[in-house]
Every structure is written in C-alpha cells, then in structure tokens.
Amino acid sequence: QSYGVPVVVAINRFHNDTEECLDLIRKHCDEIGVKVAMSDVFAKGGEGGIELANTVVEVLESTQANYKPLYDLESSVEEKIKAIATNIYGADGVVFSAKAKKALANIEENGLGNLPICIAKTQYSFSQDPKLYGAPEGFRFDIKDIVINTGSEMIVAIAGDIIRMPGL
C-alpha cells in the first residue's frame, strides 16, 4: 500500500494452522481493506492455488494502481536506505558501520548514488536481527556493509550478519 499498488495477502496454509489463526489474519486484512486468499499448493498442488489466482485477477481487474516510489532515485543512498528501514521495516533509525560509511563515500564519489536499493537481511524479522521475530518496534536498523551490483544496477545494503548467495 505504501507504493500505491493493489495488494493481495496470500495465506500460505500449513497443516497445523488453526481456523482461529486463519480467521485472525482474514479479519485483520478486512479491517485494513486488503483482499486475502488462501494458498494451499503444498498440499493440493495447482488446485490449492486457484483461490489466490482468482483473487489476484479480481483485484487487478477492479483496482487502479497509482504507483509511487518510496524514495526519489536522486536522493542520497543513505536517505534511500533510511526510507526503506523506517517506512517498510518500522525501524526508529539506521546505524551505518564504518565499513558501510566508507562504501557510501565511494558510491557517491563514483557517481553511482542514483541506483535503486536492495536490502539483504534475515527473513525472520523486519529488523536485521533474526532473534527479533516478526515486526519488532523500537529498534535501530544496522547496516554492516554496502555493495554495488553494477550488473543488476542496484546497491545492496547488507543488514546484520547474513550470507548472500546468488538467486536461483
């Protein structure tokens, strides 16, 4: 919703999910005006994804997208990272290590600051700390390093301790 595009929440159903838990998710989505659909493809294959597929098509055909980026590409790399950390992940602020600050200076010096940002972080939390499960509050987002991926034309901010590997 922050980007002004239609949203569908897919509930990836697991065998041990309770109806109470699933109803809680559905209720929350309804309260914030977001469509929700069940995805049970692990257990049912393609048939388990029909509800989700139909909901996505319905939303795309009935909702106008008004895309707006989260940040201006001409903003500094530091400002773009802060925009993601505070607006998407809910951080109170960002802390850049000495190594990351050196990389920031190198990026600006070489005229690459207008590239988009990708953040590499744990999948367990909106923070960089895998032990702060879910959506914690009141945390500072730590950027350990910043890498320029010129081939994909993006800047990767490495948050916390994470091993990066190529996508498959």
Side-chain angles (χ1 to χ4, degrees):
Q1 288 176 322
S2 296
Y3 294 97
V5 296
V7 175
V8 174
V9 170
I11 300 175
N12 190 15
R13 186 178 197 129
F14 289 91
H15 72 280
N16 57 345
D17 291 339
T18 65
E19 284 304 315
E20 179 181 70
C21 181
L22 299 174
D23 287 342
L24 182 68
I25 296 168
R26 288 183 189 106
K27 181 181 178 205
H28 177 71
C29 289
D30 187 52
E31 288 172 358
I32 62 172
V34 172
K35 292 281 189 176
V36 63
M38 191 63 59
S39 176
D40 200 2
V41 294
F42 182 78
K44 298 180 181 177
E47 183 180 317
I50 291 174
E51 178 186 341
L52 175 59
N54 287 335
T55 303
V56 168
V57 169
E58 173 194 327
V59 168
L60 290 174
E61 290 178 345
S62 66
T63 309
Q64 178 67 38
N66 296 307
Y67 174 72
K68 60 182 184 306
L70 190 60
Y71 53 75
D72 183 341
L73 279 177
E74 299 306 316
S75 295
S76 72
V77 173
E78 189 173 351
E79 289 170 343
K80 290 185 273 192
I81 292 170
K82 286 179 181 178
I84 296 168
T86 57
N87 295 317
I88 300 298
Y89 299 139
D92 285 345
V94 179
V95 177
F96 294 90
S97 72
K99 188 175 183 180
K101 287 178 183 177
K102 185 175 179 181
L104 282 169
N106 183 43
I107 289 167
E108 295 300 332
E109 181 179 306
N110 288 294
L112 297 170
N114 64 336
L115 294 175
I117 303 296
C118 173
I119 296 185
K121 60 173 225 37
T122 180
Q123 73 270 26
Y124 298 113
S125 174
F126 279 154
S127 78
Q128 77 287 339
D129 184 349
K131 295 176 185 155
L132 291 176
Y133 294 113
E137 295 178 354
F139 68 95
R140 307 285 290 180
F141 202 78
D142 294 324
I143 300 298
K144 180 179 176 179
D145 196 5
I146 299 174
V147 178
I148 305 165
N149 286 3
T150 53
S152 57
E153 296 185 343
M154 70 173 69
I155 295 168
V156 180
I158 301 171
D161 294 317
I162 188 165
I163 298 172
R164 294 182 354 161
M165 62 173 47
L168 302 175

